Amino acid sequence: MSESKISIHHGDLPAGLSFPKGVAIDTETLGLNPHRDRLCLVQLSSGDGSAHLVKFDGKTYEAPRLKALLADPAVLKIFHFARFDIAVLKQYLGVDTAPLYCTKIASKLARTYTDRHGLKDLVGELLGIELSKQQQSSDWGAQELSDSQKSYAASDVLHLHALKDKLDMMLEREGRLAFAKAAFGFLPTRAKLDLAGFGDDDIFAH
Ligand code: MN
C-alpha cells in the first residue's frame, strides 16, 4: 500500500474531483452505534489506486461537495457492508446515499461455498492481496491521524472497484445479478430501519 497516494482533507472534499467509474467509500466512526458514536472519517477512491480521506472534527458536518456526490444519481457508490456506512452518513450528513453497490452482499449471493465474507477474506481470495486489519479499532477521533491509521483507512477503499468486477462476474455466472440489484435497492430502507431501532429484527421472519 506504500505506493498509493493518500490525500487528507478537512470537513469536505476539494472541488474538481470526478469519479467516472463510480466511487468506493468507507467510513470510520468512534464505535458501532450511530446514535452515540460520531462519524470521524470518510474515505473515497475512484479505483485508480489513490484515496481521499475527509476528516470531521465533530463540530460541523456541512460538507456540501461530499453530500452532493453521495446523493448524485449518476455516480455509483461502492461499499463493503454499506448497511452500516449509509446509516452513519444519514445520521451525520443527513444524506440518502444512492445508487449503491455492496461487496459484502454480492459476496454472500455469489460465494455460497464459504461463510467468510469479510473485506480481508475477499481481497485475499479474489485479488491475492494481504490486508492488515491492525488499526480497525483505533481512535479515529484523534486530532492528528497516524500514518498507519491513514494507510489502513485508505486500504478499505482501494480494492472495492476490483472486487466489484470479480463479484459481478460470479453473480452473472450464477444468475444472481437481479437478486443483488434488488438487495442493493433495499439498502437505504434497511439502514433507516436500523436507525429507527429495528436493527436486530428480521422483519421477514415468521
Ligand atoms: Mn474501514
Side-chain angles (χ1 to χ4, degrees):
M1 233 61 70
S2 47
E3 72 277 15
S4 59
K5 189 168 150 281
I6 301 173
S7 329
I8 188 132
H9 313 287
H10 294 273
D12 200 359
L13 282 171
L17 296 180
S18 74
F19 300 92
K21 292 185 293 169
V23 57
I25 308 181
D26 185 37
T27 65
E28 304 299 338
T29 63
L30 275 184
L32 297 178
N33 179 347
H35 294 290
R36 180 192 64 189
D37 304 320
R38 73 174 175 89
L39 172 65
C40 299
L41 193 70
V42 180
Q43 308 100 280
L44 306 97
S45 177
S46 65
D48 67 352
S50 70
H52 294 274
L53 313 184
V54 180
K55 197 172 184 311
F56 289 99
D57 61 10
K59 292 179 194 87
T60 166
Y61 287 99
E62 282 174 36
R65 283 186 288 269
L66 176 59
K67 287 177 188 173
L69 175 67
L70 295 175
D72 187 340
V75 181
L76 183 68
K77 268 65 74 170
I78 309 165
F79 291 87
H80 184 77
F81 199 52
R83 177 177 171 179
F84 176 76
D85 298 296
I86 65 170
V88 169
L89 293 168
K90 176 75 179 167
Q91 178 75 12
Y92 288 89
L93 302 181
V95 70
D96 288 308
T97 304
L100 296 165
Y101 187 101
C102 176
T103 52
K104 188 162 207 164
I105 288 173
S107 176
K108 286 184 176 180
L109 287 169
R111 296 170 66 254
T112 47
Y113 52 83
T114 178
D115 59 0
R116 303 182 68 89
H117 302 286
L119 182 63
K120 188 178 163 61
D121 302 309
L122 289 181
V123 169
E125 182 191 304
L126 300 180
L127 306 177
I129 295 168
E130 187 68 34
L131 269 195
S132 162
K133 280 276 148 194
Q134 245 174 31
Q135 295 292 325
Q136 190 161 34
S137 42
S138 65
D139 178 12
W140 294 105
Q143 199 107 43
E144 203 59 56
L145 296 179
S146 69
D147 284 345
S148 72
Q149 279 181 308
K150 287 181 202 166
S151 82
Y152 165 77
S155 73
D156 275 353
V157 291
L158 290 176
H159 307 294
L160 297 183
H161 285 78
L163 281 183
K164 175 184 179 296
D165 288 346
K166 297 271 184 189
L167 290 163
D168 276 347
M169 281 191 279
M170 296 173 83
L171 287 167
E172 167 96 72
R173 190 188 74 201
E174 302 306 323
R176 295 185 187 139
L177 269 173
F179 279 149
K181 281 190 184 136
F184 302 154
F186 181 66
L187 270 167
T189 304
R190 180 61 270 183
K192 283 177 200 160
L193 284 164
D194 288 341
L195 290 173
F198 291 93
D200 294 327
D201 296 325
D202 177 0
I203 56 169
F204 297 103
H206 179 43

